C-alpha cells in the first residue's frame, strides 16, 4: 500500500500565525521573532564583546597558506556569488565549518558544528545568556574610504540573526528560537558584509557591488549551495539524534526544476503550473517513494542563511527534522531554493 504524506509550505509574507496559509520563506522578509528584543535591559552594566584571540574569528584576514598549515586542505571548495570561494571543512558533523577565501585571504567564516570554536560565543549557547551580558545595537555603521554605510536591523533581525560589531570584524549570530540557543555563527570583514547586504542598508558614497557571473560559474555556485544545504541539513538533524539523510540525485533534479520555475513565480508556490504538485513532479521524475515533503525559499544570500530561515519556521523545521524521511534532493537556481524529502 502506497502512503503519501506531504508537508506543504507556501507563501510567508508577514509575521502572523505560522499555521495560516502555506509559507514560502523569503530572505527579504525575515522570520517570526521570539521576543528577546523586548526583554533586554538597557542596563549600563552590559558590556561590549572583548577582543577575540582564538577560533574562527581570528581566521579573518589570514592568508590561504596559513589556513592550510593550521587546518589542512579543505574537503571541498565551492564557488560563491560574492567573489570568494568557500573552503568547506567537514571532518564530521561536530566539526563542520566554512572559510570564505578571496584573493588568498579569508574574508568570512561560518561555524555550525557543535565543537567548532566560535569564540566569544558558543554553538548551543543560551540566547538569554547572550542578551543578559551584551547589548546588541539595532544599527551597525561602516566607513570605507569616503563612503559610509549603515545596516539597520528589524525586530525580526535582532531576535533571529543579530549583527554585532567586533571592531575589525562583524558577527552574525543565527539563533534557534525553538531551543533558545545559538545555532551557528558567521564572521565577516566589512567587504564581505557589504557585498551580501543581508540587512536593510542606507549609504553615502559608492554602493559595493559584485561582478555578474557567467552561466557556467553560476551553475557552480548553485551546485555548492546545494551541497552545503545537504551538509547543514544533516548537521541540524544530528543535533536532535536523527539519522542522516542520503543524497538522492533523481529527487534533486525534481527540486532543481522547481527552483527554476519559482523564478518566474514571485509569490512562490508548491504547485507548478506545468508539472503540478510535489506528487506529480516526483512521479514525472521517476522517483520511487512512500512519503515526501518539500521546503521552498527565495532571496536568501546563500545556503547557510536559508537553512537558518527554514530552521526557525515550524512547518519547514518539521519537514527537516522528520524522523521518517531517509533521502533528500536539493535544487538551487540563483537565489531560489527547494528541498525535497522522501521516504523510500
Amino acid at each position: 500500500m502506497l502512503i503519501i504524506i506531504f508537508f506543504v509550505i507556501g507563501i510567508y509574507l508577514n509575521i502572523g500565525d505560522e499555521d495560516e496559509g502555506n509559507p514560502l520563506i523569503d530572505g527579504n522578509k525575515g522570520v517570526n521573532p521570539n521576543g528577546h528584543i523586548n526583554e533586554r535591559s538597557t542596563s549600563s552594566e552590559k558590556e561590549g564583546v572583548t577582543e577575540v584571540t582564538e577560533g574562527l574569528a581570528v581566521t579573518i584576514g589570514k592568508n590561504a597558506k596559513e589556513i592550510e598549515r593550521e587546518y589542512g586542505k579543505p574537503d571541498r571548495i565551492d564557488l560563491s556569488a560574492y567573489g570568494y570561494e568557500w573552503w568547506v571543512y567537514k571532518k564530521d558533523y561536530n566539526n563542520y565549518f566554512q572559510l570564505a577565501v578571496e584573493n588568498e585571504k579569508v574574508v568570512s567564516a561560518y561555524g555550525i558544528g557543535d565543537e567548532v570554536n566560535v569564540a566569544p560565543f558558543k554553538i548551543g549557547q543560551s540566547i538569554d545568556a547572550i542578551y543578559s551580558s551584551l547589548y546588541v545595537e539595532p544599527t551597525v555603521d561602516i566607513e570605507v574610504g569616503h563612503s559610509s554605510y549603515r545596516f539597520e536591523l528589524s525586530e525580526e533581525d535582532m531576535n533571529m540573526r543579530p549583527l554585532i560589531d567586533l571592531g575589525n570584524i562583524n558577527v552574525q549570530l543565527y539563533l534557534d528560537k525553538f531551543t533558545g540557543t545559538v545555532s551557528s555563527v558567521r564572521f565577516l570583514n566589512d567587504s564581505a558584509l557589504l557585498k551580501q547586504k543581508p540587512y536593510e542598508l542606507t549609504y553615502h558614497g559608492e554602493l559595493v557591488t559584485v561582478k555578474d557571473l557567467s552561466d557556467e560559474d553560476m551553475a557552480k555556485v548553485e551546485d555548492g549551495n546545494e551541497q552545503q544545504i545537504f551538509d547543514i541539513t544533516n548537521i541540524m538533524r544530528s543535533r536532535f539524534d536523527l539519522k542522516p539523510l542520503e543524497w538522492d540525485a533523481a529527487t534533486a533534479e525534481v527540486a532543481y526544476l522547481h527552483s527554476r520555475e519559482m523564478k518566474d513565480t514571485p509569490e512562490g508556490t508548491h504547485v507548478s503550473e506545468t508539472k503540478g504538485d510535489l506528487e506529480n513532479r516526483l512521479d514525472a521524475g521517476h522517483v520511487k517513494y512512500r512519503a515526501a515533503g518539500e521546503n521552498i525559499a527565495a532571496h536568501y544570500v546563500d545556503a547557510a542563511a536559508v537553512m537558518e530561515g527554514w530552521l526557525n519556521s515550524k512547518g519547514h523545521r518539521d519537514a527537516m527534522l522528520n524522523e521518517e524521511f531517509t533521502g533528500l534532493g536539493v535544487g538551487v537556481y540563483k537565489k531560489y531554493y527547494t528541498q525535497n524529502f522522501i521516504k523510500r
Side-chain angles (χ1 to χ4, degrees):
M1 179 178 178
L2 179 67
I3 301 174
I4 302 174
I5 302 172
F6 290 105
F7 294 85
V8 181
I9 314 298
I11 311 300
Y12 190 68
L13 298 178
N14 51 46
I15 55 171
D17 186 346
E18 288 187 335
D19 293 326
E20 293 181 1
N22 298 314
L24 164 85
I25 291 293
D26 191 328
N28 290 333
K29 305 287 183 186
V31 291
N32 193 31
N34 200 26
H36 286 277
I37 191 171
N38 297 321
E39 298 172 7
R40 290 203 314 270
S41 163
T42 56
S43 168
S44 59
E45 295 179 1
K46 295 191 176 182
E47 301 177 354
V49 177
T50 57
E51 182 180 355
V52 183
T53 58
E54 60 178 322
L56 288 189
V58 300
T59 66
I60 305 300
K62 285 188 176 181
N63 66 51
K65 290 183 178 179
E66 287 182 273
I67 295 301
E68 285 195 12
R69 283 197 296 268
E70 185 170 357
Y71 297 107
K73 290 186 178 296
D75 296 290
R76 190 178 72 239
I77 296 179
D78 298 334
L79 189 63
S80 84
Y82 301 101
Y84 52 76
E85 294 178 328
W86 278 119
W87 287 21
V88 180
Y89 290 86
K90 44 179 294 183
K91 176 183 176 182
D92 54 53
Y93 295 147
N94 289 328
N95 291 281
Y96 182 100
F97 65 93
Q98 302 176 190
L99 301 177
V101 179
E102 181 178 17
N103 297 324
E104 298 297 311
K105 296 282 188 180
V106 177
V107 298
S108 181
Y110 172 74
I112 187 171
D114 288 349
E115 296 180 11
V116 174
N117 186 342
V118 292
F121 307 101
K122 293 181 180 180
I123 303 299
Q125 184 178 5
S126 164
I127 296 173
D128 290 329
I130 292 172
Y131 281 124
S132 67
S133 59
L134 175 67
Y135 181 73
V136 181
E137 298 284 353
T139 62
V140 172
D141 295 319
I142 296 174
E143 300 282 341
V144 179
H146 297 293
S147 299
S148 60
Y149 308 87
R150 168 167 286 186
F151 286 104
E152 299 181 3
L153 280 63
S154 66
E155 184 172 337
E156 293 94 333
D157 294 332
M158 293 286 284
N159 284 287
M160 295 294 99
R161 50 176 195 150
L163 179 64
I164 300 168
D165 181 1
L166 286 188
N168 60 336
I169 60 174
N170 309 281
V171 185
Q172 280 183 295
L173 290 180
Y174 289 110
L175 309 177
D176 182 341
K177 73 175 185 180
F178 291 93
T179 61
T181 59
V182 173
S183 175
S184 63
V185 179
R186 189 194 302 246
F187 302 93
L188 313 93
N189 68 7
D190 290 346
S191 175
L193 182 61
L194 289 168
K195 286 179 180 179
Q196 289 187 12
K197 304 178 188 63
Y199 308 93
E200 183 177 338
L201 175 66
T202 58
Y203 68 97
H204 297 283
E206 295 184 11
L207 183 63
V208 178
T209 59
V210 293
K211 183 177 70 172
D212 291 336
L213 297 176
S214 66
D215 290 343
E216 181 181 357
D217 281 346
M218 180 54 72
K220 293 177 181 178
V221 171
E222 293 163 356
D223 181 68
N225 277 322
E226 290 169 358
Q227 293 300 316
Q228 290 168 34
I229 287 173
F230 176 72
D231 289 338
I232 296 171
T233 297
N234 278 332
I235 291 167
M236 290 179 173
R237 287 175 64 87
S238 73
R239 288 178 175 171
F240 298 92
D241 298 321
L242 297 171
K243 292 181 180 179
L245 302 176
E246 296 182 359
W247 180 263
D248 190 279
T251 304
E253 179 64 17
V254 172
Y256 175 75
L257 293 174
H258 191 63
S259 290
R260 279 195 69 120
E261 188 164 320
M262 278 201 295
K263 183 179 183 297
D264 300 318
T265 317
E267 69 277 7
T269 179
H270 288 273
V271 181
S272 163
E273 292 184 1
T274 60
K275 297 182 175 63
D277 61 16
L278 178 57
E279 179 181 2
N280 298 139
R281 288 184 275 120
L282 289 172
D283 288 344
H286 306 290
V287 177
K288 296 181 180 180
Y289 64 97
R290 289 186 289 165
E294 180 171 78
N295 286 340
I296 58 177
H299 308 306
Y300 281 86
V301 298
D302 60 15
V306 72
M307 284 301 303
E308 296 295 347
W310 279 328
L311 187 69
N312 275 297
S313 171
K314 187 177 186 305
H316 300 83
R317 181 190 186 95
D318 288 348
M320 283 199 301
L321 301 182
N322 187 295
E323 63 181 7
E324 297 297 319
F325 291 139
T326 58
L328 172 63
V330 181
V332 177
Y333 181 71
K334 298 186 185 299
K335 290 186 178 179
Y336 296 86
Y337 307 86
T338 301
Q339 283 181 311
N340 284 161
F341 304 89
I342 60 169
K343 175 183 178 181
R344 288 290 192 185

